Amino acid sequence: MRPALIVWFIFINAVAYLVMSDDKRRARLGRDRVPERTLFLLAAIGGALGVWIAMYRKRHKTRHLSFKVGVPLLLVVNVALYTYFWG
């Protein structure tokens, strides 16, 4: 179970980071955006760390209260779930 969990952790957080980064790029270019629901879904299914890192490295969604509060809360939930399934 542990190798699969490690692979999932790396994969989902990389995807979350890349999607968040792409949304920032789309915002700068005035293109269609990634729905916030998708970003929160990625965070909820294990990618909260990737979303959180991208938020602050790319300075994206940092003014949105829902992201400033919601992503850290999902990160806590992610840590609890990863810890549970690790054991």
Side-chain angles (χ1 to χ4, degrees):
M1 177 78 157
R2 287 184 180 177
L5 190 61
I6 292 168
V7 169
W8 174 254
F9 175 80
I10 292 168
F11 173 77
I12 195 62
N13 281 286
V15 168
Y17 182 89
L18 292 172
V19 170
M20 190 75 161
S21 298
D22 185 53
D23 187 50
K24 175 67 176 190
R25 184 184 62 78
R26 290 177 182 203
R28 274 193 249 123
L29 296 174
R31 296 208 175 135
D32 286 345
R33 306 283 301 282
V34 175
E36 290 184 358
R37 166 182 16 181
T38 301
L39 300 173
F40 275 113
L41 177 63
L42 288 169
I45 64 172
L49 182 61
V51 170
W52 186 74
I53 291 171
M55 273 178 62
Y56 289 98
R57 290 204 64 200
K58 304 294 182 176
R59 295 185 183 146
H60 188 49
K61 302 284 188 187
T62 55
R63 293 184 182 182
H64 295 256
L65 184 61
S66 61
F67 278 84
K68 284 175 28 176
V69 173
V71 172
L73 286 176
L74 286 171
L75 183 57
V76 169
V77 171
N78 282 189
V79 168
L81 287 172
Y82 282 124
T83 302
Y84 174 77
F85 286 112
W86 185 262

